[in-house]
Amino acid sequence: MRSSVEIHDIETGETYIVWQTDDLVEAPNFAPDGSHLIVNADGVLFRLWLDEGEPEPIDTGFAIRCNNDHGPSPDGLWLAITDKTMFGKSAVYVLPAEGGMPRLVTKALPSYWHGWSPDGAHVCYCGIRNDVFDIYTIPVAGGEETRLTFGEGRNDGPDWSSDGWIYFNSSRTGRMQIWRIRPDGSGLQRITDSIYGDWFPHPSPDGKSLLVLSYDGDVVDHPRDHNVRLRLMDADGGNARELFELFGGQGTMNVPNWSPDGSAFAYVRYSP
């Protein structure tokens, strides 16, 4: 599977190719200062500098089985990762952004990181407990997890907006669609009611727009080898429009991928 890491400019509609490789690369995040992207490949995280240069491995200590659920804290000081080296199941850790030894955040496993709170004090993630997929939050400094959903279908892909909503995708009505909820579990709202299977909602930095990856409605789960479309809409689901189609899915934009100023976003396009 050939990977092309790209950046799409919302206003101009232009695409900039950052890196292409015959290796499987996934889930680009922008660094908070906009200088580079963070991606994963073969269990390792890399920096991709936007002023070119070779990919630079990030030191993640013992964590050498990292997956595509990772991202920097809002202040740029920390990096959240999801790794299964230690326990054989995915767990959420944080480590210094420049690299270092990971510190375990979640005790219940498996757990898959997906977003930081705006103040950087909490993270949200998908946890699988007794084969049930639900949305959780937990303080980064340590503590007990807070469960926000309760087994109504599969709940996955949470991302925290700057105005305090946690967006996620849920199959509670049959087809996977986008919902949002407050961190205290209140205010549950359905955002999309589309013909597609909608995954991986990412609110823009200003909280006004929402980027969504959409499969054809009959596709089950989130495979990486399908024609998908990236759609942009208002934060409440209004004015949805398709930006473009591509071959991808899993790994294309699993985690927060907006540029710091909200003018662009990063993603991965695949080809056999």
Side-chain angles (χ1 to χ4, degrees):
M1 189 75 75
R2 183 168 176 79
S3 305
S4 179
V5 183
E6 303 177 0
I7 294 174
H8 180 79
D9 186 289
I10 296 289
E11 183 174 349
T12 67
E14 296 179 345
T15 293
Y16 166 60
I17 296 174
V18 180
W19 186 43
Q20 293 182 322
T21 174
D22 288 336
D23 296 324
L24 177 62
V25 176
E26 299 178 301
N29 318 115
F30 265 94
D33 65 1
S35 64
H36 64 278
L37 301 178
I38 298 169
V39 298
N40 65 284
D42 197 25
V44 179
L45 299 187
F46 294 87
R47 296 183 187 90
L48 300 181
W49 297 97
L50 300 188
D51 59 0
E52 300 183 350
E54 290 299 309
E56 176 185 302
I58 299 174
D59 175 17
T60 54
F62 64 81
I64 56 174
R65 299 175 68 188
C66 298
N67 67 17
N68 53 34
D69 298 323
H70 50 73
S73 61
D75 60 10
L77 298 179
W78 300 95
L79 178 63
I81 65 171
T82 305
D83 178 82
K84 60 181 181 180
T85 304
M86 186 66 70
F87 303 105
K89 293 183 178 181
S90 292
V92 178
Y93 300 84
V94 295
L95 62 144
E98 67 271 16
M101 192 59 62
R103 175 176 61 81
L104 181 66
V105 175
T106 54
K107 299 177 182 178
L109 307 177
S111 295
Y112 303 86
W113 179 89
H114 276 277
W116 289 88
S117 63
D119 62 3
H122 292 74
V123 293
C124 59
Y125 54 97
C126 170
I128 307 175
R129 313 289 180 256
N130 298 316
D131 296 323
V132 177
F133 290 72
D134 274 312
I135 307 303
Y136 297 83
T137 66
I138 198 169
V140 175
E144 298 301 316
E145 64 182 16
T146 297
R147 186 177 182 179
L148 299 183
T149 60
F150 294 87
E152 309 91 340
R154 174 175 176 171
N155 303 284
D156 203 345
D159 192 359
W160 222 308
S161 72
S162 58
D163 57 357
W165 288 103
I166 294 176
Y167 288 81
F168 64 100
N169 46 271
S170 176
S171 63
R172 64 187 60 208
T173 56
R175 183 182 296 125
M176 192 67 79
Q177 298 286 274
I178 305 305
W179 297 69
R180 67 182 179 184
I181 196 170
R182 292 295 187 183
D184 63 1
S186 67
L188 179 67
Q189 298 178 12
R190 182 172 179 170
I191 300 302
T192 63
D193 186 8
S194 73
I195 62 173
Y196 304 117
D198 292 329
W199 285 78
F200 307 129
H202 298 310
S204 59
D206 63 8
K208 295 181 179 179
S209 301
L210 189 67
L211 182 66
V212 174
L213 185 147
S214 299
Y215 290 89
D216 289 342
D218 59 352
V219 176
V220 178
D221 210 333
H222 56 297
R224 75 173 75 259
D225 54 354
H226 277 60
N227 290 321
V228 297
R229 54 202 53 80
L230 301 188
R231 299 197 299 141
L232 189 67
M233 61 194 70
D234 296 341
D236 62 1
N239 298 314
R241 61 187 176 97
E242 182 177 315
L243 297 176
F244 55 89
E245 292 189 11
L246 73 158
F247 188 77
Q250 164 80 322
T252 291
M253 48 169 260
N254 292 53
V255 285
N257 60 333
W258 284 92
S259 64
D261 64 2
S263 66
F265 61 86
Y267 63 96
V268 183
R269 182 191 304 270
Y270 298 113
S271 57

